[in-house]
Amino acid sequence: MARRVALWVLFGAGGVFAGVLWMGYVLTESLLQEQVQRTVDAQVYQAGAEVDARLGDAEAAVRELAARLSFRTLGPEEARGALERTLEDNPTLYGSCAAFSPASLGRPAAPYLFRRGDGLTYRDLSRGGYDYRNHPWYLLPQGLDQPCWSEPYFDEGGGEVLMTTFGVPFRDAQGRFAGVVTGDVALEWLSDLLRSLSLPPGGVAFLLSGRGKLLAVSVPGLTGTEDLPRMREGKAEDLRRRMVGQDRGTLAAENPRTGEPGRVTFGPLPTNDWSLGVFVPRSALTAVLVPLHRRLALVALGGVLFLAGAALLVARSVVRPVKVLEGAAQELALGHLLVPVPEFPGDDEPARLARALETARKDLLRYLEEQERDAAERARSRTELDLAARIQKGLLPAAFPRTETFAVAGRLEAAREVGGDLYDAFLDDRGFLFLAMGDVAGKGIPAALFMAAVRTGMGVLGRSALSPARILERLNDQFSRDNDTAMFVTLFLARVDPVAGRCVYASAGHPAPVRVTRSGTASLFDVAPALPVGAIPGTVYRDETLELGEEELWVLFTDGVTEAFSPGGELFGVPRLEELLRSQKAASPEEAVDRVVEAVVSFEDGQDPSDDRAVLAVRLGPDSPRRD
């Protein structure tokens, strides 16, 4: 018991000393952290300035080359000479290409020069199976009709290195689109630049593209955004999303591989949508503090041990084992399970009682710890599902386009926390209204992930001039290839020209939308049967054309609406939906969506939905109604 009393004195005095040491540690660490942070900020500015300078030179060179080729009648051979001069004058560029539009020459042609060894190598990208017309570095400048950087990619069949490309469209002598001229920047240069920074020990510098893809990193072996520093628990913002959003700041973070805490400083580059970040581990800040506080801790430990020895002498003369066991029993009765029961030598009654109490305490503490772990695991699973649901809702349109000739509203309700239904509505590059409604086979997180991938591809293709059927064919070719999970999605796509009064649409196995005319007639779109996207490669889809009436209401939906069941097992069905929409012929899109969802929920009468359901309503016609 004397040893126990000495330990309590040790803990009490040690706590006081520890508190004093900790306050000194925190204040010193704060000062060092500010100093290191200023150094890191300077490194971020230095690296950003050099990246901007080199990329700015690359952009200027490509723009100058595009201006040299525009509004002239040039062939591939003349373009090749201009490419060679550009590369000789701009060492930052790894390669350059003049990809002619087949319409301008009557044939594909893409002379490409890139660095290999100490010289330049020539290659025609229109030959050898390399179809440059299907690559993003050609499609994006062509579709957007403006200069832009591509996402990083490995140029197999071209330059054969990991690179990013700046593309600028150029025109022929008649002012028509004639092709895209490019400048390639090898990403290994960016990694060398980041590795040249004077970072603290354990520091990591990284560069993200405008879409969140990892361009370069100062540490070999880190290859993807999963290797970026993670935000500490309790932070609502995700580091990658903040960097993609062109935000800047300094936040607490953790090393993704070791879990070591630290801070990450990040900010955008001025000349493009890239963002640079630097992670500094906390160990870099504490390297100076540890030796100093180790010496102070030794002095404090000596004082604590002296007090413990004095208490030990006093306790031996006044404390009795029975009193100690009484106190231990009271602690257990109060639920203080972290307080150990004292041990006594020998095999007498106090010793046996102490061992019995200690066994009971450990068993009860083990049981409570298991209960806490189970509760924490359940809470973590719920948090992950809630986060997945918020991310999925963030993929849906935050606002819909609205003009004097049309208005759009939509709503999605998942059967679980996350689901596989999707919809979209936006104006394409020609000002036409693009509509989409889809339903991924299955529910839960796998369906949500597949939905996100489909929506991303559909969003890019939908803004092009491709017809709905061609978009479905491209999506099908993309998602049916190596589809080991056997997932597929039904889709209905439509492109509406309100001015011409015409709609072109196509369906991939999705339920036909309901069309309500001004007179109150409700009918389904004439949709040809077709396989879902992702089912079989090479599936051909058919475009249908619809002439618009004077004023119409369209309602697109997933089968979670028409296949809802009442408690008695009755199907909601298409006829009931048509009857409901006849009464909504003059309703705004928001009102029509609300009435459909309310009707389905009322029909289910408190039952949990058996499937995800999504509704998208479109009001076409002059002065489309809107709800205030």
Side-chain angles (χ1 to χ4, degrees):
M1 283 304 303
R3 291 195 298 272
R4 303 300 192 278
V5 173
L7 286 175
W8 280 110
V9 174
L10 179 67
F11 291 151
V16 174
F17 280 107
V20 175
L21 289 174
W22 177 250
M23 288 299 299
Y25 184 93
V26 170
L27 293 176
T28 309
E29 182 186 67
S30 177
L31 295 176
L32 287 176
Q33 181 174 307
E34 291 178 3
Q35 179 180 355
V36 172
Q37 193 60 61
R38 286 193 295 269
T39 303
V40 171
D41 289 342
Q43 293 292 325
V44 171
Y45 179 82
Q46 173 189 344
E50 186 166 352
V51 170
D52 288 337
R54 293 203 182 186
L55 294 183
D57 291 343
E59 288 189 15
V62 178
R63 292 178 185 272
E64 180 182 351
L65 180 59
R68 194 182 305 167
L69 298 180
S70 291
F71 304 105
R72 300 180 183 179
T73 304
L74 297 177
E77 290 301 321
E78 295 90 340
R80 176 178 175 179
L83 297 176
E84 184 173 357
R85 289 191 297 273
T86 298
L87 291 178
E88 291 174 349
D89 295 339
N90 297 274
T92 300
L93 292 177
Y94 173 78
S96 184
C97 175
F100 288 86
S101 169
S104 65
L105 292 180
R107 60 181 177 84
Y112 176 50
L113 284 174
F114 61 98
R115 303 183 189 277
R116 175 163 293 176
D118 296 330
L120 298 179
T121 299
Y122 172 78
R123 184 172 294 168
D124 189 343
L125 297 185
S126 66
R127 301 175 183 176
Y130 188 104
D131 190 357
Y132 62 89
R133 293 168 294 178
N134 292 328
H135 284 258
W137 58 261
Y138 180 86
L139 292 174
L140 285 176
Q142 179 192 25
L144 299 176
D145 195 24
Q146 65 181 19
C148 61
W149 284 95
S150 73
E151 285 294 289
Y153 65 99
F154 185 86
D155 192 26
E156 184 176 359
E160 300 294 340
V161 296
L162 188 64
M163 64 173 63
T164 182
T165 299
F166 183 70
V168 180
F170 64 93
R171 303 184 179 280
D172 59 16
Q174 288 74 38
R176 296 170 300 190
F177 173 78
V180 174
V181 64
T182 69
D184 303 329
V185 175
L187 296 188
E188 183 59 30
W189 161 75
L190 295 174
S191 297
D192 292 340
L193 171 63
L194 297 185
R195 284 193 285 270
S196 69
L197 298 179
S198 299
L199 300 177
V204 179
F206 53 93
L207 191 65
L208 291 188
S209 71
R211 297 186 180 179
K213 191 168 184 179
L214 190 63
L215 294 170
V217 66
S218 62
V219 178
L222 304 186
T223 58
T225 53
E226 70 275 2
D227 289 316
L228 296 182
R230 292 194 297 260
M231 306 308 298
R232 282 185 177 176
E233 184 177 358
K235 290 287 185 180
E237 305 89 347
D238 176 78
L239 174 62
R240 176 175 172 274
R241 291 185 176 277
R242 289 194 63 179
M243 293 181 70
V244 170
Q246 296 292 283
D247 197 0
R248 66 172 66 247
T250 300
L251 295 172
E254 293 178 346
N255 188 304
R257 296 193 172 182
T258 65
E260 183 179 10
R263 299 189 69 83
V264 61
T265 299
F266 56 93
L269 302 185
T271 58
N272 54 32
D273 57 357
W274 294 0
S275 186
L276 177 67
V278 174
F279 172 77
V280 178
R282 186 178 180 184
S283 60
L285 305 177
T286 59
V288 180
L289 297 174
V290 171
L292 172 63
H293 285 82
R294 184 180 291 117
R295 291 192 292 269
L296 294 176
L298 291 175
V299 175
L301 179 60
V304 171
L305 292 177
F306 174 81
L307 293 176
L312 179 61
L313 294 176
V314 175
R316 282 178 175 174
S317 63
V318 297
V319 179
R320 296 292 182 267
V322 174
K323 187 66 175 178
V324 174
L325 290 177
E326 178 189 1
Q330 290 176 353
E331 292 291 338
L332 289 178
L334 294 175
H336 298 165
L337 301 180
L338 296 179
V339 179
V341 177
E343 296 181 6
F344 296 101
D347 195 37
D348 55 3
E349 288 80 5
R352 290 195 297 269
L353 180 57
R355 288 193 291 270
L357 288 175
E358 178 66 6
T359 300
R361 183 191 70 85
K362 290 182 177 179
D363 291 342
L364 184 55
L365 184 60
R366 187 180 302 110
Y367 172 78
L368 293 178
E369 288 175 348
E370 291 175 356
Q371 294 297 313
E372 289 178 357
R373 284 196 297 270
D374 292 342
E377 181 63 25
R378 290 193 295 270
R380 185 187 65 81
S381 299
R382 170 56 59 182
T383 300
E384 291 178 349
L385 288 175
D386 291 344
L387 177 61
R390 291 196 298 270
I391 293 175
Q392 182 186 23
K393 289 182 180 179
L395 294 175
L396 298 175
F400 293 97
R402 184 185 293 269
T403 67
E404 294 180 354
T405 57
F406 66 81
V408 184
R411 184 169 168 184
L412 183 146
E413 293 185 352
R416 300 179 182 174
E417 285 79 3
V418 291
D421 285 4
L422 66 128
Y423 60 75
D424 207 347
F426 55 84
L427 295 177
D428 65 13
D429 296 338
R430 298 177 295 175
F432 295 170
L433 175 62
F434 184 83
L435 302 172
M437 176 64 72
D439 185 357
V440 177
K443 292 180 282 295
I445 291 180
L449 293 175
F450 194 78
M451 178 273 278
V454 171
R455 187 181 183 279
T456 300
M458 185 178 65
V460 174
L461 296 174
R463 287 176 169 81
S464 67
L466 295 175
S467 71
R470 303 294 79 77
I471 294 175
L472 290 176
E473 290 172 359
R474 290 202 178 184
L475 290 174
N476 181 70
D477 290 341
Q478 176 183 353
F479 290 104
S480 60
R481 188 186 309 116
D482 298 330
N483 189 2
D484 297 332
T485 59
M487 297 193 73
F488 58 85
V489 57
T490 65
L491 281 174
F492 177 88
L493 306 181
R495 198 183 300 276
V496 183
D497 183 357
V499 177
R502 182 180 298 106
C503 170
V504 178
Y505 63 91
S507 175
H510 196 80
V514 176
R515 177 188 186 190
V516 183
T517 64
R518 183 175 184 181
S519 63
T521 301
S523 61
L524 297 177
F525 276 51
D526 185 12
V527 173
L531 292 174
V533 167
I536 298 177
T539 301
V540 177
Y541 298 93
R542 189 177 70 187
D543 284 319
E544 306 283 351
T545 302
L546 176 69
E547 300 295 328
L548 306 182
E550 183 177 356
E551 181 178 334
E552 297 184 0
L553 173 68
W554 296 354
V555 175
L556 290 70
F557 58 92
T558 59
D559 56 11
V561 173
T562 54
E563 295 182 5
F565 289 91
S566 68
E570 184 182 1
L571 192 67
F572 187 87
V574 174
R576 183 176 277 102
L577 177 61
E578 291 179 335
E579 182 63 25
L580 170 65
L581 293 177
R582 289 189 188 98
S583 64
Q584 303 297 316
K585 63 180 181 180
S588 68
E590 294 85 352
E591 292 170 342
V593 169
D594 290 345
R595 297 296 87 76
V596 171
V597 174
E598 290 169 1
V600 174
V601 171
S602 176
F603 184 77
E604 291 175 334
D605 194 19
Q607 293 186 115
D608 291 334
S610 59
D611 197 1
D612 308 328
R613 51 178 169 247
V615 182
L616 187 69
V618 184
R619 168 65 67 182
L620 296 166
D623 298 324
S624 295
R626 68 178 67 193
R627 183 172 63 186
D628 296 328

